Amino acid sequence: MTLRQQFSFLTSLLVVILLVGNLLLTIGNGRDYFQQQLNARAYDAATSLALSMSQVPAGDDIQLQRLMDVLFDRGFFSDIEFIPVNGPALERRSREALANAPAPQWFMNLVSFDLMVAEADVTRGWSRLGLVKIVSHPDFAYRDLWSMVRSELMWFAWVLIIALILLHILLGWLFRPINRVEKQALAICEKDWQVQEDIPRARELQRMVLAMNKMVEKLRSIFNEQSAMTEQLRSESFSDSLTGILNRRGFDERLAHILCREEEHSGVLVLMQLGNLTEFNNNHGRQATDDALSLLGQELQRVLADYPLAFSGRRSGSDFGFYIPCTDRVHASDLLQLVHSQLMTGVLSPRQGLTFHLGGVFLQNLQDDPAHALSCADAALRQAQRHPESEARLYDGDQGGVEWTAGEWRKVLQEALATDALTLQYQPVVSNAGEQLLQFEVFSRLEWQGQVLSAARFWPMVEQHQLSARYDASIVAQVMKTLVQTPPLADVRYCINISPASVLDEEFHKQLQAVFSHSPELASHIALEVPESALAGIESALSRLALSLRNYGVVLGIDQVGTGTMAFAYMQRLPLDYIRIDGSFSRGLAAAQDRKFFIQSMVQIAHNLDLTVLGEGVEENDDVSVLRQTGVDGMSGYYFSRPLVAIADAHQWQPQ
């Protein structure tokens, strides 16, 4: 029972007790009053009748009977009796005084009158002729007393109803600050730091609200301090302070994570060099040079924002690099020329006085040597630098892989959707201790004409041809269909990475709701996640998607945490369930204490917001041991298992 209900119950009980007590007193006092009146009337009638009978001649019994009848017919008396000294008694016994019952029978049984027999002697002179006995009739008293009680009951009922209504209003007003405090506490659990502006006047409630506001401000301050400290650590360790993009270390570690992990990759690595930066600095000064480099960093971020999972970095004073996922050499060449033209018409236009050259290499393999990849890109850069004006060259190495035009890619992707050519693989995510299975990461593969294409190879074209929403919806539907055929494991979620473009598609939201509504009991095993680097443009749409799917039990996660540029405050704003720290922070973790401290800071921030923290991409035993020490809740990688092709095999897999 709530406190409000207890207050209502106790107050109502008190009002009822008061009203019932007052009613009982009214009935008791009314009964005593009417009883006194009835007995008094009987004594008066007996005296009057005795006096009248004393005037009747001796032996005239008829006259005596008439006197008794006259008194009895008034209906006020139930029993009149004359007992002469000599002779038989004359009497009239009771009858109903009223045509209808004066009161309910239960009331008359409850309230009884103690009526006394009034007696008077009939005398003539000094001679005693007899004795008159009279008893009053209680019907009129019952009628009047019941009428009075009924009026009291009606009045009490109205008083009770009005009192309860006023009590409800009063308690609602009094408990309003408490309700707001409850909402405030629940909002804290949802990572929303609400401060109450309406301070109640009641001293006790005022102190409670002010204390709650102070706690919220303290929690907000702690979170902001932790977030700022972690962001500063990330910036100092992995970002270039002038341009805002990755520094040499951050860029090389991200590149190494992509090229060295035992998963297929497909993308173009580009090195860029400013040819006359020293001359520009001598002519315009250090501040102008710094401003130009800062603008270049912003321009690279803007250009690469259209390509999910792309990243850029400053490798030295005038050397920059960036990596863009793509499908084949044709796509890589097109991207290289597109970026070149965007830079030429933007911050590096000829009128700015800076020349630049681009050299790129297309990388598509299970594993590539980062040093060799950089060497090939550098060779292409040297070829481009043979031209005095800005130029972009792609390394002319072995082509390999699938080589289709953009039109052919579009046809392949559309036919793949029509024929359900997508297949799924499942990679286990285990708990920190390695004893419990937490999730399966779902990876998509495209089977086409005997080839199996990984998402790294075909997804850039999916993005380019604006098919992301259709592909994501198809993957989700296929996962749900698979779970219908093979029931999911208890307390295990199947994580599907969706494209930022899909999040912005309202029709995709409706398609997901339709898919989940067909099997709501299975929807609670689904988790959707998006990369952190894409949050800046999709945050509001992502919140709407998460809230629309919450009734189905679908949860939301953020992938590749640590690679974006947004402040970590998004963890507090978005309705998240978990975060997954990018694998580039896990690779070589045992030899990098600053990355360990960064992950520990992320874990502390997330745990303060009740978020689960997962690590990925771990392949070495030493890295697993150190990652466990950071306090993450779970981890995945080839150290534990490669992606499993069949869901039946995934369900039979057990942590080692």
PDB file of all heavy atoms in Angstrom, residues 49 52-71 82 90 124:
ATOM      1  N   LEU A  49     -57.424  10.285  32.606  1.00  0.00           N
ATOM      2  CA  LEU A  49     -58.488   9.286  32.483  1.00  0.00           C
ATOM      3  C   LEU A  49     -59.050   8.913  33.865  1.00  0.00           C
ATOM      4  O   LEU A  49     -60.259   8.735  34.035  1.00  0.00           O
ATOM      5  CB  LEU A  49     -57.947   8.038  31.773  1.00  0.00           C
ATOM      6  CG  LEU A  49     -58.965   6.902  31.550  1.00  0.00           C
ATOM      7  CD1 LEU A  49     -60.154   7.394  30.705  1.00  0.00           C
ATOM      8  CD2 LEU A  49     -58.304   5.699  30.882  1.00  0.00           C
ATOM      9  N   SER A  52     -61.432  11.597  34.910  1.00  0.00           N
ATOM     10  CA  SER A  52     -62.715  11.531  34.180  1.00  0.00           C
ATOM     11  C   SER A  52     -63.572  10.380  34.676  1.00  0.00           C
ATOM     12  O   SER A  52     -64.800  10.498  34.800  1.00  0.00           O
ATOM     13  CB  SER A  52     -62.457  11.372  32.675  1.00  0.00           C
ATOM     14  OG  SER A  52     -61.711  12.468  32.162  1.00  0.00           O
ATOM     15  N   MET A  53     -62.954   9.249  34.959  1.00  0.00           N
ATOM     16  CA  MET A  53     -63.714   8.088  35.415  1.00  0.00           C
ATOM     17  C   MET A  53     -64.304   8.316  36.811  1.00  0.00           C
ATOM     18  O   MET A  53     -65.329   7.724  37.162  1.00  0.00           O
ATOM     19  CB  MET A  53     -62.809   6.849  35.427  1.00  0.00           C
ATOM     20  CG  MET A  53     -62.531   6.282  34.059  1.00  0.00           C
ATOM     21  SD  MET A  53     -61.522   4.776  34.175  1.00  0.00           S
ATOM     22  CE  MET A  53     -61.621   4.202  32.487  1.00  0.00           C
ATOM     23  N   SER A  54     -63.682   9.150  37.596  1.00  0.00           N
ATOM     24  CA  SER A  54     -64.192   9.387  38.960  1.00  0.00           C
ATOM     25  C   SER A  54     -65.532  10.123  38.934  1.00  0.00           C
ATOM     26  O   SER A  54     -66.272  10.124  39.929  1.00  0.00           O
ATOM     27  CB  SER A  54     -63.155  10.174  39.769  1.00  0.00           C
ATOM     28  OG  SER A  54     -62.959  11.470  39.206  1.00  0.00           O
ATOM     29  N   GLN A  55     -65.867  10.771  37.756  1.00  0.00           N
ATOM     30  CA  GLN A  55     -67.103  11.511  37.642  1.00  0.00           C
ATOM     31  C   GLN A  55     -68.254  10.655  37.109  1.00  0.00           C
ATOM     32  O   GLN A  55     -69.387  11.104  37.028  1.00  0.00           O
ATOM     33  CB  GLN A  55     -66.911  12.726  36.710  1.00  0.00           C
ATOM     34  CG  GLN A  55     -65.752  13.639  37.097  1.00  0.00           C
ATOM     35  CD  GLN A  55     -65.942  14.247  38.473  1.00  0.00           C
ATOM     36  OE1 GLN A  55     -67.088  14.627  38.848  1.00  0.00           O
ATOM     37  NE2 GLN A  55     -64.854  14.312  39.244  1.00  0.00           N
ATOM     38  N   VAL A  56     -67.910   9.406  36.689  1.00  0.00           N
ATOM     39  CA  VAL A  56     -68.947   8.529  36.116  1.00  0.00           C
ATOM     40  C   VAL A  56     -69.731   7.883  37.260  1.00  0.00           C
ATOM     41  O   VAL A  56     -69.148   7.442  38.244  1.00  0.00           O
ATOM     42  CB  VAL A  56     -68.289   7.441  35.236  1.00  0.00           C
ATOM     43  CG1 VAL A  56     -69.342   6.463  34.724  1.00  0.00           C
ATOM     44  CG2 VAL A  56     -67.537   8.083  34.079  1.00  0.00           C
ATOM     45  N   PRO A  57     -71.110   7.857  37.125  1.00  0.00           N
ATOM     46  CA  PRO A  57     -71.930   7.249  38.168  1.00  0.00           C
ATOM     47  C   PRO A  57     -71.534   5.804  38.381  1.00  0.00           C
ATOM     48  O   PRO A  57     -71.085   5.122  37.461  1.00  0.00           O
ATOM     49  CB  PRO A  57     -73.353   7.378  37.624  1.00  0.00           C
ATOM     50  CG  PRO A  57     -73.283   8.514  36.653  1.00  0.00           C
ATOM     51  CD  PRO A  57     -71.935   8.471  36.052  1.00  0.00           C
ATOM     52  N   ALA A  58     -71.750   5.325  39.574  1.00  0.00           N
ATOM     53  CA  ALA A  58     -71.392   3.954  39.923  1.00  0.00           C
ATOM     54  C   ALA A  58     -72.216   2.981  39.104  1.00  0.00           C
ATOM     55  O   ALA A  58     -73.418   3.156  38.918  1.00  0.00           O
ATOM     56  CB  ALA A  58     -71.605   3.708  41.410  1.00  0.00           C
ATOM     57  N   GLY A  59     -71.541   1.972  38.570  1.00  0.00           N
ATOM     58  CA  GLY A  59     -72.182   0.915  37.792  1.00  0.00           C
ATOM     59  C   GLY A  59     -72.362   1.233  36.333  1.00  0.00           C
ATOM     60  O   GLY A  59     -72.891   0.396  35.591  1.00  0.00           O
ATOM     61  N   ASP A  60     -71.945   2.430  35.877  1.00  0.00           N
ATOM     62  CA  ASP A  60     -72.116   2.789  34.458  1.00  0.00           C
ATOM     63  C   ASP A  60     -70.862   2.354  33.693  1.00  0.00           C
ATOM     64  O   ASP A  60     -69.972   3.136  33.347  1.00  0.00           O
ATOM     65  CB  ASP A  60     -72.337   4.301  34.319  1.00  0.00           C
ATOM     66  CG  ASP A  60     -72.814   4.681  32.932  1.00  0.00           C
ATOM     67  OD1 ASP A  60     -72.802   3.774  32.032  1.00  0.00           O
ATOM     68  OD2 ASP A  60     -73.115   5.860  32.696  1.00  0.00           O
ATOM     69  N   ASP A  61     -70.778   1.072  33.422  1.00  0.00           N
ATOM     70  CA  ASP A  61     -69.591   0.530  32.724  1.00  0.00           C
ATOM     71  C   ASP A  61     -69.509   1.016  31.276  1.00  0.00           C
ATOM     72  O   ASP A  61     -68.410   1.117  30.707  1.00  0.00           O
ATOM     73  CB  ASP A  61     -69.636  -0.996  32.748  1.00  0.00           C
ATOM     74  CG  ASP A  61     -69.440  -1.535  34.168  1.00  0.00           C
ATOM     75  OD1 ASP A  61     -68.928  -0.773  35.006  1.00  0.00           O
ATOM     76  OD2 ASP A  61     -69.754  -2.710  34.397  1.00  0.00           O
ATOM     77  N   ILE A  62     -70.653   1.300  30.674  1.00  0.00           N
ATOM     78  CA  ILE A  62     -70.644   1.760  29.271  1.00  0.00           C
ATOM     79  C   ILE A  62     -69.936   3.108  29.164  1.00  0.00           C
ATOM     80  O   ILE A  62     -69.132   3.355  28.256  1.00  0.00           O
ATOM     81  CB  ILE A  62     -72.097   1.837  28.742  1.00  0.00           C
ATOM     82  CG1 ILE A  62     -72.703   0.432  28.707  1.00  0.00           C
ATOM     83  CG2 ILE A  62     -72.108   2.472  27.354  1.00  0.00           C
ATOM     84  CD1 ILE A  62     -74.152   0.409  28.276  1.00  0.00           C
ATOM     85  N   GLN A  63     -70.206   3.986  30.105  1.00  0.00           N
ATOM     86  CA  GLN A  63     -69.569   5.303  30.083  1.00  0.00           C
ATOM     87  C   GLN A  63     -68.061   5.171  30.306  1.00  0.00           C
ATOM     88  O   GLN A  63     -67.254   5.852  29.657  1.00  0.00           O
ATOM     89  CB  GLN A  63     -70.177   6.201  31.167  1.00  0.00           C
ATOM     90  CG  GLN A  63     -69.649   7.627  31.150  1.00  0.00           C
ATOM     91  CD  GLN A  63     -69.980   8.380  29.873  1.00  0.00           C
ATOM     92  OE1 GLN A  63     -70.962   8.033  29.185  1.00  0.00           O
ATOM     93  NE2 GLN A  63     -69.172   9.364  29.540  1.00  0.00           N
ATOM     94  N   LEU A  64     -67.694   4.257  31.183  1.00  0.00           N
ATOM     95  CA  LEU A  64     -66.251   4.037  31.403  1.00  0.00           C
ATOM     96  C   LEU A  64     -65.567   3.520  30.124  1.00  0.00           C
ATOM     97  O   LEU A  64     -64.450   3.920  29.777  1.00  0.00           O
ATOM     98  CB  LEU A  64     -66.053   3.030  32.552  1.00  0.00           C
ATOM     99  CG  LEU A  64     -66.481   3.495  33.947  1.00  0.00           C
ATOM    100  CD1 LEU A  64     -66.337   2.361  34.960  1.00  0.00           C
ATOM    101  CD2 LEU A  64     -65.680   4.713  34.381  1.00  0.00           C
ATOM    102  N   GLN A  65     -66.313   2.603  29.440  1.00  0.00           N
ATOM    103  CA  GLN A  65     -65.750   2.047  28.207  1.00  0.00           C
ATOM    104  C   GLN A  65     -65.588   3.119  27.156  1.00  0.00           C
ATOM    105  O   GLN A  65     -64.597   3.144  26.418  1.00  0.00           O
ATOM    106  CB  GLN A  65     -66.668   0.920  27.682  1.00  0.00           C
ATOM    107  CG  GLN A  65     -66.080   0.143  26.526  1.00  0.00           C
ATOM    108  CD  GLN A  65     -64.911  -0.719  26.949  1.00  0.00           C
ATOM    109  OE1 GLN A  65     -64.947  -1.307  28.019  1.00  0.00           O
ATOM    110  NE2 GLN A  65     -63.873  -0.750  26.128  1.00  0.00           N
ATOM    111  N   ARG A  66     -66.531   4.045  27.090  1.00  0.00           N
ATOM    112  CA  ARG A  66     -66.440   5.126  26.108  1.00  0.00           C
ATOM    113  C   ARG A  66     -65.240   6.032  26.395  1.00  0.00           C
ATOM    114  O   ARG A  66     -64.547   6.482  25.473  1.00  0.00           O
ATOM    115  CB  ARG A  66     -67.732   5.942  26.133  1.00  0.00           C
ATOM    116  CG  ARG A  66     -68.925   5.230  25.478  1.00  0.00           C
ATOM    117  CD  ARG A  66     -70.161   6.084  25.586  1.00  0.00           C
ATOM    118  NE  ARG A  66     -71.304   5.441  24.955  1.00  0.00           N
ATOM    119  CZ  ARG A  66     -72.555   5.920  24.955  1.00  0.00           C
ATOM    120  NH1 ARG A  66     -72.808   7.066  25.597  1.00  0.00           N
ATOM    121  NH2 ARG A  66     -73.529   5.262  24.350  1.00  0.00           N
ATOM    122  N   LEU A  67     -65.052   6.328  27.668  1.00  0.00           N
ATOM    123  CA  LEU A  67     -63.892   7.163  28.008  1.00  0.00           C
ATOM    124  C   LEU A  67     -62.579   6.488  27.590  1.00  0.00           C
ATOM    125  O   LEU A  67     -61.654   7.132  27.075  1.00  0.00           O
ATOM    126  CB  LEU A  67     -63.867   7.438  29.507  1.00  0.00           C
ATOM    127  CG  LEU A  67     -64.981   8.374  30.040  1.00  0.00           C
ATOM    128  CD1 LEU A  67     -64.913   8.465  31.548  1.00  0.00           C
ATOM    129  CD2 LEU A  67     -64.854   9.751  29.412  1.00  0.00           C
ATOM    130  N   MET A  68     -62.469   5.173  27.770  1.00  0.00           N
ATOM    131  CA  MET A  68     -61.279   4.433  27.366  1.00  0.00           C
ATOM    132  C   MET A  68     -61.137   4.413  25.841  1.00  0.00           C
ATOM    133  O   MET A  68     -60.011   4.543  25.296  1.00  0.00           O
ATOM    134  CB  MET A  68     -61.329   3.007  27.921  1.00  0.00           C
ATOM    135  CG  MET A  68     -61.218   2.949  29.448  1.00  0.00           C
ATOM    136  SD  MET A  68     -61.479   1.280  30.101  1.00  0.00           S
ATOM    137  CE  MET A  68     -60.100   0.436  29.342  1.00  0.00           C
ATOM    138  N   ASP A  69     -62.287   4.277  25.127  1.00  0.00           N
ATOM    139  CA  ASP A  69     -62.235   4.236  23.660  1.00  0.00           C
ATOM    140  C   ASP A  69     -61.755   5.562  23.082  1.00  0.00           C
ATOM    141  O   ASP A  69     -60.978   5.591  22.111  1.00  0.00           O
ATOM    142  CB  ASP A  69     -63.605   3.887  23.093  1.00  0.00           C
ATOM    143  CG  ASP A  69     -63.994   2.443  23.369  1.00  0.00           C
ATOM    144  OD1 ASP A  69     -63.048   1.655  23.683  1.00  0.00           O
ATOM    145  OD2 ASP A  69     -65.172   2.095  23.267  1.00  0.00           O
ATOM    146  N   VAL A  70     -62.292   6.659  23.678  1.00  0.00           N
ATOM    147  CA  VAL A  70     -61.894   7.976  23.172  1.00  0.00           C
ATOM    148  C   VAL A  70     -60.369   8.151  23.286  1.00  0.00           C
ATOM    149  O   VAL A  70     -59.696   8.638  22.367  1.00  0.00           O
ATOM    150  CB  VAL A  70     -62.632   9.085  23.932  1.00  0.00           C
ATOM    151  CG1 VAL A  70     -62.048  10.451  23.608  1.00  0.00           C
ATOM    152  CG2 VAL A  70     -64.120   9.057  23.598  1.00  0.00           C
ATOM    153  N   LEU A  71     -59.821   7.744  24.383  1.00  0.00           N
ATOM    154  CA  LEU A  71     -58.371   7.891  24.580  1.00  0.00           C
ATOM    155  C   LEU A  71     -57.580   6.922  23.691  1.00  0.00           C
ATOM    156  O   LEU A  71     -56.541   7.272  23.133  1.00  0.00           O
ATOM    157  CB  LEU A  71     -58.042   7.640  26.058  1.00  0.00           C
ATOM    158  CG  LEU A  71     -56.598   7.933  26.488  1.00  0.00           C
ATOM    159  CD1 LEU A  71     -56.280   9.405  26.286  1.00  0.00           C
ATOM    160  CD2 LEU A  71     -56.408   7.553  27.945  1.00  0.00           C
ATOM    161  N   PHE A  82     -58.509  -0.676  32.810  1.00  0.00           N
ATOM    162  CA  PHE A  82     -59.124  -0.216  34.060  1.00  0.00           C
ATOM    163  C   PHE A  82     -59.456  -1.441  34.905  1.00  0.00           C
ATOM    164  O   PHE A  82     -60.194  -2.326  34.482  1.00  0.00           O
ATOM    165  CB  PHE A  82     -60.396   0.595  33.785  1.00  0.00           C
ATOM    166  CG  PHE A  82     -61.135   0.946  35.030  1.00  0.00           C
ATOM    167  CD1 PHE A  82     -60.557   1.754  36.016  1.00  0.00           C
ATOM    168  CD2 PHE A  82     -62.435   0.455  35.265  1.00  0.00           C
ATOM    169  CE1 PHE A  82     -61.246   2.066  37.176  1.00  0.00           C
ATOM    170  CE2 PHE A  82     -63.129   0.781  36.425  1.00  0.00           C
ATOM    171  CZ  PHE A  82     -62.526   1.595  37.383  1.00  0.00           C
ATOM    172  N   LEU A  90     -61.637  -3.760  32.639  1.00  0.00           N
ATOM    173  CA  LEU A  90     -61.927  -3.233  31.293  1.00  0.00           C
ATOM    174  C   LEU A  90     -60.602  -2.851  30.633  1.00  0.00           C
ATOM    175  O   LEU A  90     -59.779  -2.140  31.223  1.00  0.00           O
ATOM    176  CB  LEU A  90     -62.836  -2.009  31.408  1.00  0.00           C
ATOM    177  CG  LEU A  90     -64.192  -2.212  32.104  1.00  0.00           C
ATOM    178  CD1 LEU A  90     -64.941  -0.892  32.185  1.00  0.00           C
ATOM    179  CD2 LEU A  90     -65.038  -3.254  31.382  1.00  0.00           C
ATOM    180  N   ARG A 124     -63.630   8.334  44.221  1.00  0.00           N
ATOM    181  CA  ARG A 124     -64.795   9.218  44.333  1.00  0.00           C
ATOM    182  C   ARG A 124     -64.923   9.537  45.806  1.00  0.00           C
ATOM    183  O   ARG A 124     -65.273   8.679  46.600  1.00  0.00           O
ATOM    184  CB  ARG A 124     -66.052   8.512  43.822  1.00  0.00           C
ATOM    185  CG  ARG A 124     -67.283   9.446  43.842  1.00  0.00           C
ATOM    186  CD  ARG A 124     -68.552   8.780  43.360  1.00  0.00           C
ATOM    187  NE  ARG A 124     -68.423   8.296  42.003  1.00  0.00           N
ATOM    188  CZ  ARG A 124     -68.685   7.068  41.600  1.00  0.00           C
ATOM    189  NH1 ARG A 124     -69.047   6.169  42.494  1.00  0.00           N
ATOM    190  NH2 ARG A 124     -68.573   6.712  40.341  1.00  0.00           N
TER     191      ARG A 124
END
